[in-house]
Amino acid sequence: MAEEEEKTNIFDVESAASLVKDLRKSFGSGKTKSYEWRVQQLKSIIKMIDENEEDIVEALRLDLSKPQLESFVSEISMTKSACGVALKELKHWMKPEKAKTSITTFPSSAEIVSEPLGVVLIISAWNYPFLLSLDPVIGAIAAGNAVVLKPSEISPATSSLLAKFVEKYLDSSAIRVVEGAVPETSALLEQKWDKILYTGNGRVGRIVMAAAAKHLTPVILELGGKSPVVVDSNINLKVATRRIVAGKWGCNNGQACIAPDYIITTESNAPKLIDAFKCTLEEFFGKDPLESKDLSRVVNSNHFARLEKLLDEDKVSGKIVLGGQRDKTHLKIAPTILLDVPEDSLIMNEEIFGPLLPIVTVDKVEDSFDIIRSRSKPLAAYLFTNDKKLEKEFVSSISAGGMLINDTVLHLAVNTLPFGGVGESGTGSYHGKFSFDAFSHKKGVLYRSFLGDASARYPPYTPRKQSLLRALLNGDIFGVIRALIGWSKGPTRIENKNN
């Protein structure tokens, strides 16, 4: 009996196909396109958060040992903010945009209509399991789509919480959560979707893109990479290190796609920078950071082993200048700074995604640009400087998903900026209006009446019609007038002999 029940609960390709069929039927009814439905769902998300904040914080603690304040600031508050922006701006976003027309279609008017894509799939990440699940869902709902959310199985408490509360608070005929691991994700990827958004690593990103290609499904890939921090000399090192520490260890203990991955500074500035880090880290996390309640743990034993491998490589283990303590039982690694690790080391060739931070030194700060450009384009790039010329050169010569000058990670919270990668750090973007656009098709519509039907566009194509059409298409107003009054410029052309 138990075996039969287990079989019925298996989510396979057939189950996924049935789910998509049901959602397409719901979308086809037109319910998700209405302004009222979208608003109701967005308000329900806010209600869900308000009524269950303690449960959300507890799920994040179970999954990642996230400090309560960090859970509120970076997951709960940002999710509610995304909902608030969508509710405030939705009418404006849905309104057709007027577009200019040309003389060739005169008289006419035109507009760009935003229409929902249909049924979309969102595969979220484990490091910010609440925010990165619901933030894109908010955009998909605002755009009027039916949605399937696949939370990460690596954060099981939050995944279970989302499955429970989404079903309770939102319209389950159009918004569903599918829990599970690789088999369930694979079953979902076998289906035809109207768009897929995946947040995670490049390896899985390639699998998602390959699956989407079978159905010509467009994708948004929010990946990661090695986000650099260039630190100039003659800056306020106390403020700079506080902001770097907040963006590295204060954001899920380095387990964030936009966390600083490595620092580049001059050889002469490195000792002063390391001293500033020592003071800041002790101020924030105490003399024994493994005992700090303000640091998240490493998500699981596999990731802990991966980070140990980076630290224990022969050419790296002797480069630790600060930290390095570990507690395997509680999956804790102290904030760790390394100086001048070799370029060919694992830690300099893999996204770290943890509490380790290498410092690379150069002769002059401008040399840092060549190091960054020699690597894959990062999701984020940071610069600390008072030099406006250096700042301008950094913005113009470094390609990255996003940038921030004199701080880290805060650009994520600005809803008027697109958030997304470039090259191997991802494709496509979302946040704010960009989320609405990401899940919408921009449909161009031209309106004409039965008036102004010019015979020049129809056969037979006489020389006079040809002159008129040429002038129209070239935007030559005087040529149009000449063609209309029958006056030809210059010597008579050969074709006029047959006129």
Side-chain angles (χ1 to χ4, degrees):
M1 189 73 174
E3 286 183 9
E4 288 180 12
E5 188 175 338
E6 187 179 340
K7 284 182 181 179
T8 60
N9 290 331
I10 292 175
F11 188 87
D12 54 14
V13 173
E14 188 178 334
S15 306
S18 177
L19 171 61
V20 174
K21 183 180 178 182
D22 289 345
L23 291 177
R24 288 207 180 280
K25 183 178 179 181
S26 186
F27 177 77
S29 72
K31 66 186 297 184
T32 67
K33 295 183 180 181
S34 77
Y35 172 77
E36 291 75 19
W37 183 88
R38 304 183 203 195
V39 166
Q40 182 57 52
Q41 303 313 304
L42 295 172
K43 286 182 176 178
S44 294
I45 291 176
I46 293 177
K47 183 181 180 183
M48 176 182 77
I49 295 170
D50 287 340
E51 293 182 354
N52 302 281
E53 186 176 314
E54 289 184 7
D55 291 335
I56 297 165
V57 169
E58 176 62 13
L60 293 168
R61 187 193 67 79
L62 290 171
D63 286 332
L64 294 152
S65 290
K66 274 199 182 185
Q68 183 174 351
L69 182 62
E70 188 180 330
S71 294
F72 177 77
V73 171
S74 61
E75 302 244 27
I76 294 169
S77 177
M78 288 185 69
T79 304
K80 285 180 66 175
S81 176
C83 261
V85 169
L87 284 167
K88 181 182 177 182
E89 302 291 342
L90 187 55
K91 270 190 180 176
H92 175 67
W93 293 348
M94 290 177 67
K95 191 176 181 181
E97 304 169 45
K98 291 296 180 186
K100 290 183 178 179
T101 58
S102 68
I103 193 171
T104 55
T105 62
F106 179 84
S108 65
S109 64
E111 63 183 9
I112 301 166
V113 176
S114 295
E115 65 178 15
L117 292 170
V119 182
V120 302
L121 172 64
I122 293 167
I123 307 172
S124 66
W126 56 262
N127 57 330
Y128 286 86
F130 193 76
L131 173 69
L132 295 182
S133 292
L134 290 182
D135 197 354
V137 167
I138 289 164
I141 290 171
N145 297 278
V147 189
V148 172
L149 168 64
K150 167 59 185 67
S152 174
E153 70 279 8
I154 297 176
S155 48
T158 308
S159 176
S160 176
L161 176 140
L162 286 166
K164 175 183 173 183
F165 288 143
V166 166
E167 183 179 11
K168 178 180 177 182
Y169 285 87
L170 302 183
D171 180 357
S172 60
S173 72
I175 305 164
R176 298 282 295 276
V177 174
V178 173
E179 289 194 275
V182 173
E184 290 77 12
T185 305
S186 299
L188 289 169
L189 288 174
E190 284 288 319
Q191 311 309 311
K192 177 175 173 55
W193 304 92
D194 295 298
K195 195 154 198 176
I196 300 173
L197 185 147
Y198 166 74
T199 304
N201 62 62
R203 179 184 61 81
V204 178
R206 286 172 170 82
I207 294 171
V208 171
M209 184 170 265
K214 295 176 184 177
H215 302 288
L216 294 179
T217 299
V219 298
I220 295 176
L221 299 178
E222 296 296 346
L223 308 177
K226 298 185 74 64
S227 296
V229 185
V230 177
V231 180
D232 198 2
S233 54
N234 301 318
I235 63 169
N236 188 325
L237 277 178
K238 182 177 180 180
V239 173
T241 53
R242 287 168 71 90
R243 292 177 178 180
I244 294 170
V245 169
K248 177 69 172 180
W249 296 284
C251 287
N252 211 27
N253 206 4
Q255 298 170 112
C257 55
I258 55 171
D261 191 275
Y262 65 102
I263 289 175
I264 310 175
T265 193
T266 59
E267 188 175 357
S268 60
N269 193 48
K272 292 180 285 186
L273 181 61
I274 292 167
D275 286 341
F277 271 124
K278 285 180 181 177
C279 294
T280 301
L281 286 168
E282 186 172 329
E283 178 190 350
F284 286 7
F285 306 117
K287 291 186 180 294
D288 185 0
L290 293 181
E291 295 297 320
S292 173
K293 303 298 183 186
D294 297 317
L295 276 174
S296 301
R297 64 169 168 78
V298 177
V299 65
N300 59 29
S301 57
N302 289 336
H303 280 273
F304 191 92
R306 178 184 61 81
L307 291 167
E308 280 199 309
K309 183 180 178 182
L310 298 182
L311 268 182
D312 291 341
E313 191 178 7
D314 288 342
K315 59 184 80 174
V316 170
S317 57
K319 301 292 185 178
I320 297 172
V321 294
L322 183 64
Q325 305 97 313
R326 312 169 204 179
D327 180 351
K328 193 170 185 177
T329 303
H330 298 97
L331 299 177
K332 290 270 188 126
I333 299 177
T336 302
I337 294 176
L338 308 98
L339 180 63
D340 283 330
V341 296
E343 277 291 310
D344 62 349
S345 61
L346 289 174
I347 201 169
M348 288 306 296
N349 286 278
E350 295 181 9
E351 183 180 8
I352 294 170
F353 223 72
L356 321 178
L357 184 61
I359 296 176
V360 176
T361 59
V362 290
D363 292 332
K364 56 183 189 295
V365 72
E366 290 81 5
D367 295 340
S368 62
F369 294 1
D370 290 332
I371 293 175
I372 298 170
R373 286 192 293 254
S374 70
R375 298 176 170 276
S376 297
K377 296 175 181 180
L379 185 58
Y382 306 109
L383 170 67
F384 287 82
T385 187
N386 287 315
D387 186 338
K388 291 298 178 184
K389 183 180 176 183
L390 186 71
E391 180 182 304
K392 186 176 180 180
E393 186 181 351
F394 184 77
V395 172
S396 64
S397 66
I398 300 298
S399 180
M403 284 185 168
L404 185 49
I405 309 299
N406 294 330
D407 212 326
T408 62
V409 309
L410 285 183
H411 61 298
L412 181 74
V414 181
N415 65 65
T416 54
L417 293 175
F419 177 73
V422 58
E424 290 199 16
S425 60
T427 180
S429 62
Y430 69 117
H431 282 191
K433 173 68 158 51
F434 301 99
S435 292
F436 178 87
D437 291 342
F439 292 102
S440 299
H441 166 60
K442 299 298 182 181
K443 181 167 63 180
V445 184
L446 183 69
Y447 297 94
R448 299 201 72 211
S449 73
F450 289 99
L451 301 175
D453 193 46
S455 62
R457 66 183 285 201
Y458 306 120
Y461 298 119
T462 65
R464 186 175 179 182
K465 285 183 179 180
Q466 291 185 50
S467 297
L468 178 58
L469 286 173
R470 282 176 180 274
L472 274 170
L473 294 173
N474 288 328
D476 181 3
I477 300 299
F478 293 109
V480 171
I481 296 171
R482 285 196 298 269
L484 287 173
I485 65 176
W487 181 71
S488 175
K489 183 180 178 183
T492 304
R493 290 172 295 180
I494 294 173
E495 65 225 31
N496 284 344
K497 292 179 181 178
N498 300 320
N499 200 10

